[in-house]
Amino acid sequence: MLGIITLLAACGGGDNAGGGDKEKMVIGYFPNIDHAPAMVARENGYYEEKLGDDVELEYITFPDGGTFMAALKSGEIDAGLVGPGPVLNNFSNGAEVKVLAGASSGGTVVVASEKSGVESVEDMAGKTFITPGIGCTHDVQFETYLQQLGNDELASSRIGGSLNHVTGNPASYQAMFESGKVDLAAVPEPWASILVDNGAKVIISTEDIAYGESLPNTVLVANNKLTEEKPELAAKLLEAHNESVAYINDNPEKAQKIAIDSIKDLTNQEMDAKIVEQAMSRITYTTDVNEAVLKEFGNSSYELEFLKEAPEFDGLVADKE
């Protein structure tokens, strides 16, 4: 299991951190372009500005949605950005969480390594594909696309098909392509653009993959302890998030620079500016949440047997005031 990278940022400074009557809020996100709203909000101080001096902030970054949701449910983190797949899966199993807003949509791409011999979807039979997690957003999008083809062979071996499924941190996909350990990746940006820049081929584009442009592939989510016991803090967190998304859309070049610097700090990988520009152009940054699409996506998770029972998602998305 990949380790969790922990980064601390206390509003009051080291000597006063945790002192007095300060509230503490822990925010989680991933080192992906999809999660640029968290990077921008952190860099520009929007969280501190909205939450105020009485709140001590801590940040934790995660390699996948499963570890994020485990931390959210346990109270290790209070809120953050994650794909809807893990949220829906955990909510259907009783997790007390709430989607506060969208963050981004689009950006999921399926690429094939040069060594794979895969030139089209028809060549995928018997190949190995990788996603950040089992039943994660990108996994469900890819497997739903395959399911819609109506070819039983072109499915995960988990449900009787011929494709072998493995999981791993997207930052490691290039090395896994080069070693021949995996043939295909259903991957978020900027990793898709990086893989393509290093010779991989796009097999399924953002426009063609299931729920490619309609699904919020990243959402702002909080546990019910925050939304019910400290609703004023949840509201301020949402204000900071909204401001960050607006900044990205109004200042794309500055937002790209923030994303590049943030990802370098988190992964020790410096992204080429042109790659990041291309990656972010594939993504729509929006706070909107299409609840009907979320429910349809959740039903796909059930049909693909990631969920044991037919899901019920009433109450998952917070009401807009």
Side-chain angles (χ1 to χ4, degrees):
M1 177 65 70
L2 293 166
I4 296 174
I5 309 167
T6 304
L7 301 168
L8 306 180
C11 294
D15 292 339
N16 296 324
D21 296 322
K22 281 192 175 186
E23 296 276 5
K24 182 176 181 180
M25 182 178 292
V26 186
I27 297 171
Y29 62 99
F30 302 7
N32 288 339
I33 294 296
D34 292 344
H35 293 238
M39 302 175 196
V40 168
R42 180 179 181 181
E43 176 65 24
N44 288 352
Y46 295 149
Y47 294 133
E48 289 85 352
E49 176 188 339
K50 298 298 182 182
L51 292 167
D53 293 336
D54 292 333
V55 177
E56 175 190 350
L57 281 174
E58 179 180 329
Y59 302 95
I60 303 180
T61 63
F62 294 85
D64 59 72
T67 53
F68 176 100
M69 290 304 301
L72 187 68
K73 290 186 296 181
S74 71
E76 181 182 357
I77 63 174
D78 300 291
L81 299 187
V82 68
V87 178
L88 291 165
N89 294 346
N90 279 269
F91 183 81
S92 69
N93 289 320
E96 296 183 339
V97 297
K98 185 82 70 176
V99 171
L100 303 181
S104 64
S105 61
T108 296
V109 181
V110 177
V111 300
S113 75
E114 288 184 290
K115 294 183 177 182
S116 68
V118 175
E119 296 292 331
S120 67
V121 173
E122 289 72 20
D123 301 325
M124 290 184 179
K127 301 297 184 179
T128 297
F129 74 96
I130 190 167
T131 67
I134 296 173
C136 74
T137 304
H138 315 291
D139 185 11
V140 174
Q141 286 184 269
F142 179 42
E143 293 200 42
T144 299
Y145 173 91
L146 295 176
Q147 187 181 53
Q148 291 170 346
L149 296 177
N151 183 339
D152 292 341
E153 188 179 19
L154 292 178
S156 168
S157 59
R158 176 183 50 80
I159 53 174
S162 69
L163 277 71
N164 180 41
H165 181 205
V166 297
T167 63
N169 189 326
S172 69
Y173 289 3
Q174 181 60 40
M176 298 183 80
F177 270 15
E178 291 173 356
S179 70
K181 292 181 179 179
V182 297
D183 304 298
L184 301 153
V187 63
E189 293 290 4
W191 312 110
S193 292
I194 291 171
L195 291 170
V196 170
D197 190 59
N198 282 284
K201 180 177 181 178
V202 174
I203 304 300
I204 306 172
S205 68
T206 295
E207 293 77 14
D208 291 335
I209 199 167
Y211 309 108
E213 296 183 307
S214 60
L215 177 75
N217 63 16
T218 308
V219 294
L220 175 65
V221 63
N223 57 35
N224 285 10
K225 183 175 182 181
L226 177 66
T227 59
E228 295 179 2
E229 296 182 13
K230 303 173 185 178
E232 70 288 349
L233 292 185
K236 291 177 180 178
L237 177 69
L238 179 57
E239 288 178 14
H241 174 73
N242 291 342
E243 187 169 351
S244 181
V245 171
Y247 179 92
I248 293 171
N249 289 318
D250 293 341
N251 305 276
E253 292 184 1
K254 292 180 180 179
Q256 290 161 21
K257 178 65 166 56
I258 290 172
I260 290 169
D261 292 343
S262 179
I263 290 174
K264 182 180 180 181
D265 287 342
L266 295 169
T267 68
N268 293 319
Q269 290 185 258
E270 185 164 7
M271 307 296 174
D272 181 89
K274 290 183 178 179
I275 288 178
V276 172
E277 180 182 6
Q278 177 182 335
M280 293 183 76
S281 71
R282 289 176 171 160
I283 298 169
T284 299
Y285 294 97
T286 175
T287 60
D288 292 340
V289 177
N290 187 325
E291 190 168 0
V293 172
L294 276 184
K295 290 180 177 179
E296 185 180 346
F297 180 82
N299 289 330
S300 291
S301 293
Y302 171 65
E303 292 172 4
L304 290 166
E305 300 181 17
F306 291 117
L307 300 177
K308 295 180 180 179
E309 298 180 0
E312 175 56 63
F313 297 124
D314 290 343
L316 173 60
V317 180
D319 294 330
K320 288 188 176 181
E321 295 183 359

